[in-house]
Amino acid sequence: MAGRAGGATGRPPLTERRRAETRMEIAEEAVRLFAAKGVAAVTADDIASASGVSTRTLWRYFRSKEECVRPLLTTGLELLTEHLREGRGEHGSLAEAILGVRYDDDDATPRLRTLGDLLLLCRDEPGLRAVWLEAHYDAEATFAAMIADRTGRPVGDLAVRVEAGVLNTAMRIAVEDWALRSDAAAGPSLAETVRRALRMVGGVEKR
């Protein structure tokens, strides 16, 4: 998922943006190949060739062929972090701040479709599922740091960690629930599904 670009002062350097774009292109090609052939039949060379990069470049970015999909799984968290760093959603709970994030780029729909395909693959492919769960393990630490910063409590405080875990789990389940229905002709969008899940745990960050 992509979000609205930040202002000129907060925009990443060109090299960093190009690196992120390359990682995302690799992720999208990896999902396309995995969906078409199965993870076992796809090699790192296949992914690199389809992405227009060398295998050596691919290994600079990722530790395994399964990890190539990680940028698709973490882009929402990166957008949220940017959202909060820019000072939006300063007041209220972290759940409320997340509810304020908007995904409105023109390329959001095809990328969301690719994300849905990836999460469906995660159900049956242990390697991909491990990457998905690892991404959320890392996200939980990020949520805990955000909650600690917003509440003035230590990041290792039990309450902070539980709140971060509840919020993280709610978002993970919401995205998985959406993916299971992503091929349906009608139904709640990803944003609507996440909002519904967050409202279920909306008070988790409040003392």
Side-chain angles (χ1 to χ4, degrees):
M1 288 178 289
R4 183 179 302 155
T9 58
R11 194 176 183 86
L14 179 60
T15 54
E16 183 180 334
R17 280 187 283 131
R18 181 55 195 151
R19 190 178 299 116
E21 289 167 1
T22 299
R23 285 171 56 85
M24 185 62 73
E25 289 166 3
I26 292 171
E28 292 173 337
E29 287 299 329
V31 172
R32 183 182 65 79
L33 289 171
F34 290 157
K37 301 181 179 181
V39 174
V42 175
T43 67
D45 290 338
D46 293 333
I47 298 171
S49 177
S51 305
V53 301
S54 68
T55 304
R56 183 177 179 181
T57 296
L58 184 143
W59 288 134
R60 283 207 304 267
Y61 288 138
F62 304 105
R63 297 171 297 179
S64 68
K65 66 179 182 181
E66 290 86 357
E67 197 184 51
C68 289
V69 304
R70 188 179 174 99
L72 273 166
L73 301 175
T74 60
T75 187
L77 176 63
E78 291 164 0
L79 175 59
L80 170 62
T81 303
E82 177 186 345
H83 176 92
L84 296 176
R85 187 167 55 239
E86 291 177 355
R88 293 174 291 185
E90 290 181 341
H91 306 292
S93 71
L94 184 57
E96 291 169 338
I98 296 172
L99 286 170
V101 177
R102 293 292 179 267
Y103 301 100
D104 55 7
D105 275 3
D106 291 341
D107 67 344
T109 297
R111 187 159 293 168
L112 284 180
R113 198 174 299 126
T114 303
L115 175 62
D117 292 341
L118 171 56
L119 291 175
L120 290 175
L121 286 170
C122 286
R123 295 181 305 170
D124 303 316
E125 296 285 354
L128 297 181
R129 186 161 62 248
V131 174
W132 172 234
L133 294 177
E134 181 183 17
H136 270 278
Y137 180 85
D138 294 343
E140 190 166 307
T142 301
F143 287 138
M146 290 179 183
I147 293 170
D149 183 61
R150 295 165 75 86
T151 63
R153 291 177 288 179
V155 71
D157 182 78
L158 178 62
V160 169
R161 294 178 61 195
V162 169
E163 292 167 8
V166 170
L167 182 60
N168 187 37
T169 300
M171 293 188 68
R172 177 180 61 79
I173 292 174
V175 176
E176 291 172 349
D177 182 76
W178 165 80
L180 289 173
R181 296 179 287 98
S182 63
D183 58 348
S189 66
L190 174 57
E192 290 168 342
T193 305
V194 170
R195 280 197 292 268
R196 182 183 176 196
L198 291 181
R199 289 190 184 108
M200 293 176 182
V201 297
V204 294
E205 188 189 326
K206 297 179 181 178
R207 297 173 191 260

